[in-house]
Amino acid sequence: MRLLAFDTATPATTVALALADEKLLTRRHEPGPGERPGHVSELLPLALELLDEAGVGFAQLDRLAVGIGPGTFTGLRIGVATARALAHAHGLPLVGVSTLRALAAGAAGPTADVPAHLAVLDARRGEAFAAAWAGEQELLAPAALAPEALAEAVAALPPGTVAIGDGAVRFRAVLETAGAVVPADDSAAHRVEAAVHARLAAGMEPTAADAVLPAYLRLPDAELALRRRRATAS
Amino acid sequence: MILALETSCDDTCAAVVTQDGEIRSNVISSQGVHDRYGGVVPEVASRHHLELIGPVVDDALAQAGISLPELDAIAVTQGPGLVGALLVGVSTAKALAAAHRLPLIPVDHLHGHVAASFLKPSEFEPPFLILIASGGHTLLAHVRDHGPDWEVLGATHDDAAGEAFDKGARMLGLGYPGGPALQRLAEDGDPEAFAFPTAQQVPGLDFSFSGLKTALLYKLRELGEEETERRRADLAASYQRAIVETLARRVERALETDPALPQRLALGGGVAANGPLRERMRGLGVAIDIPPIQLCTDNAAMIASAARHLPALPFPQYAALDAYATGERGL
Ligand SMILES: [Zn+2]
């Protein structure tokens, strides 16, 4: 199956092209320290580079996959808008892949003795997006959690659970105190890689392209403020 | 044929326009979800754009009876506007174009408002002056040719005209969006009842609405609740008149002080829907073009129209194209 996958939920822009003979091509852009994410200017050029390298056009793809987050709202929309438009333009099947699921599945590969993987992304504002799996089994559903809630969630997971992702690095102290294992800051396990999305998406059922939307996991600030105002008024 | 996408604020728009300016389709999905917040919320607008843009593009293509690969180019609003909202349109347009190796034409939103006048059937041809007044912009420009290097003669120092309408409406308890509600209330009022300022002290051809806003606030305090309630229609009518006069007198000043300027005027932007403003402008005694209201408010046909006169970026030169926010570039 020829499958193009990408993820823009984290500051990185990651793209992978899986080809019929199990060959996998990847490209990645990581913003430097203090630099803004390059999603809008990097995503399409990286995808085109991969297609060029493989000598494949969009029309020859069998499937598209996109990371649906959670993550930065603007980044997610750039990825999902691009995926939906590409799918639409050639009637390609599109699969939305949870970025947390891909992060956990990516780390799960070689370490079979790890009881569970907790994927943690920096949700800013002192919160983390987190979810956990033991193999295929979901132990913690994706949610935005404050540090105390994150610690509580970790306490309920099997001992020795490995936490990965930029949020795991950011909340290392909280996670380790609660009993999770966090790999070294520079471990590749913390990186979201579209190669994993490509692998997962090959085995998933595509949905209607219009049904693929970001998993924001958080309401817009204005909506939260409005609900607070209404709650205090009543 | 050009397919254009416009997502700079809270309307999700797509249109198909021919090279000679005939509108084949002009689809506008007004989100209508921002009223509950009392104004456009960028994050809410962006979320809706993402959900709506696909179906809106489909509608525009279907109504025009054309498919993507048959297009000559795709155009998109690059800025200025709400960046998160613009990025949905830019990402979508780039992907649609790249998928079929079509050229892409990035368009400035304000160029679009000018180019609305070039569209058939009115086909108002340059040179002319244009007054663009909406919730986001207020400016007077000299349109010498099809662009895009037009001369801005005056712009607002503070609020946009549409913002002045909205803020006045809020002070009078009319909710959001305020423009149409204020105009309706004003119909039963006396525009001469109160003398509100029209920024005549602002030099040149620039606009200002902050003094007017403050004047209304003080007037409401002075009148007190009961009297304000009794005279709401008069207040609305007088306030509206001040906005209309602020706009109209700048145009008059331009026409009087520089005889070299064309004695032709076009209106653009959502405020061009205002009845008294249209009437006042028609009374200026110059040739005037006011496009139909769906071409004055934000739409994609005007973006396609501007794109007709701009260079197209061939595939894949536009792959890294980014959006730009309000204030990053001028007309
Ligand atoms: Zn506008």
Side-chain angles (χ1 to χ4, degrees):
Chain A
M1 187 187 294
R2 284 178 180 151
L3 192 153
L4 179 71
F6 44 81
D7 190 292
T8 50
T10 63
T13 304
T14 165
V15 188
L17 176 62
L19 297 164
D21 50 3
E22 306 251 315
K23 223 174 103 184
L24 188 81
L25 306 173
T26 60
R27 286 282 191 285
R28 183 182 185 85
H29 172 267
E30 193 89 51
E35 231 176 68
R36 285 185 9 195
H39 303 129
V40 71
S41 48
E42 298 290 339
L43 176 58
L44 197 54
L46 293 181
L48 291 171
E49 265 182 48
L50 287 186
L51 292 173
D52 260 6
E53 190 178 327
V56 171
F58 284 113
Q60 281 99 49
L61 293 171
D62 299 304
R63 188 173 283 192
L64 290 167
V66 62
I68 55 167
T72 63
F73 297 161
T74 298
L76 284 177
R77 277 190 290 267
I78 291 167
V80 172
T82 302
R84 286 169 59 135
L86 290 174
H88 186 84
H90 289 295
L92 295 171
L94 173 63
V95 181
V97 179
S98 159
T99 302
L100 291 171
R101 180 81 192 96
L103 194 53
T111 49
D113 53 337
V114 171
H117 283 92
L118 173 69
V120 191
L121 290 170
D122 185 358
R124 299 189 229 182
R125 302 187 196 170
E127 289 191 335
F129 293 126
W133 287 268
E136 298 289 303
Q137 195 197 349
E138 184 183 274
L139 302 182
L140 171 69
L145 302 173
E148 312 80 67
L150 183 62
E152 262 174 57
V154 172
L157 294 172
T161 290
V162 172
I164 65 277
D166 61 13
V169 172
R170 161 103 205 267
F171 293 100
R172 174 181 290 279
V174 174
L175 293 164
E176 288 178 342
T177 308
V181 178
V182 183
D185 284 8
D186 60 357
S187 164
H190 295 305
R191 304 193 335 193
V192 172
E193 291 286 358
V196 184
H197 298 61
R199 176 159 59 80
L200 293 174
M204 289 168 70
E205 204 57 52
T207 44
D210 281 351
V212 175
L213 285 169
Y216 294 110
L217 297 192
R218 213 187 240 162
L219 290 168
D221 287 346
E223 180 63 30
L224 291 171
L226 183 71
R227 289 183 186 191
R228 271 197 303 274
R229 274 203 306 278
R230 288 188 176 168
T232 35
S234 62
Chain B
M1 288 226 246
I2 298 175
L3 167 73
L5 278 59
E6 144 68 40
T7 61
S8 66
C9 191
D10 63 335
D11 294 318
T12 314
C13 317
V16 175
V17 170
T18 66
Q19 195 55 47
D20 57 0
E22 190 190 316
I23 302 171
R24 289 294 168 85
S25 63
N26 187 23
V27 181
I28 300 163
S29 178
S30 297
Q31 296 181 355
V33 292
H34 301 276
D35 303 12
R36 61 195 255 112
Y37 308 109
V40 174
V41 178
E43 176 58 24
V44 174
S46 305
R47 290 188 184 195
H48 282 270
H49 282 308
L50 182 62
E51 292 181 33
L52 295 168
I53 191 72
V56 165
V57 166
D58 274 348
D59 277 2
L61 291 172
Q63 285 178 28
I66 191 168
S67 67
L68 271 176
E70 293 172 290
L71 293 166
D72 297 304
I74 293 180
V76 66
T77 307
Q78 191 187 5
L82 308 170
V83 172
L86 288 163
L87 282 170
V88 174
V90 167
S91 300
T92 303
K94 287 200 301 183
L96 289 176
H100 289 290
R101 300 179 157 256
L102 293 170
L104 187 83
I105 309 169
V107 177
D108 183 283
H109 181 80
L110 289 163
H111 291 180
H113 277 301
V114 173
S117 285
F118 304 157
L119 286 162
K120 285 179 200 293
S122 80
E123 278 182 287
F124 200 60
E125 284 297 312
F128 57 77
L129 298 181
I130 187 162
L131 174 71
I132 302 172
S134 73
H137 6 267
T138 302
L139 60 88
L140 181 65
H142 179 190
V143 179
R144 286 200 185 83
D145 49 33
H146 288 122
D149 299 315
W150 297 306
E151 184 192 356
V152 176
L153 303 172
T156 182
H157 285 185
D158 35 66
D159 290 342
E163 251 178 311
F165 267 111
D166 286 341
K167 288 180 179 172
R170 196 175 309 148
M171 282 190 253
L172 292 169
L174 289 170
Y176 175 91
L182 195 138
Q183 191 187 333
R184 268 195 305 280
L185 179 60
E187 278 166 21
D188 304 321
D190 172 10
E192 313 272 351
F194 301 97
F196 287 124
T198 56
Q200 292 312 297
Q201 79 291 353
V202 176
L205 299 173
D206 281 346
F207 306 89
S208 169
F209 295 98
S210 60
L212 168 62
K213 204 176 56 189
T214 313
L216 176 62
L217 186 68
Y218 286 153
K219 184 55 74 180
L220 296 183
R221 276 191 201 150
E222 180 195 315
L223 291 176
E225 237 171 85
E226 228 170 85
E227 189 66 2
T228 293
E229 191 50 40
R230 205 176 62 77
R231 307 205 53 188
R232 271 172 90 228
D234 285 344
L235 287 160
S238 303
Y239 185 80
Q240 173 176 256
R241 179 175 180 275
I243 296 176
V244 169
E245 286 306 314
T246 302
L247 295 170
R249 288 184 196 173
R250 284 304 178 283
V251 178
E252 283 175 335
R253 200 183 269 182
L255 292 169
E256 283 162 14
T257 49
D258 189 352
L261 288 174
Q263 300 288 302
R264 292 155 59 76
L265 176 72
L267 295 189
V271 176
N274 183 269
L277 178 69
R278 288 169 169 243
E279 215 173 293
R280 177 74 166 80
M281 292 303 188
R282 288 210 171 92
L284 288 176
V286 295
I288 190 159
D289 177 55
I290 310 174
I293 189 62
Q294 66 273 17
L295 293 179
C296 286
T297 51
D298 290 349
N299 66 88
M302 71 183 197
I303 301 303
S305 180
R308 294 183 296 139
H309 306 287
L310 291 167
L313 301 173
F315 172 85
Q317 269 182 27
Y318 48 81
L321 189 84
D322 200 349
Y324 57 87
T326 302
E328 279 179 33
R329 285 185 211 178
L331 184 75

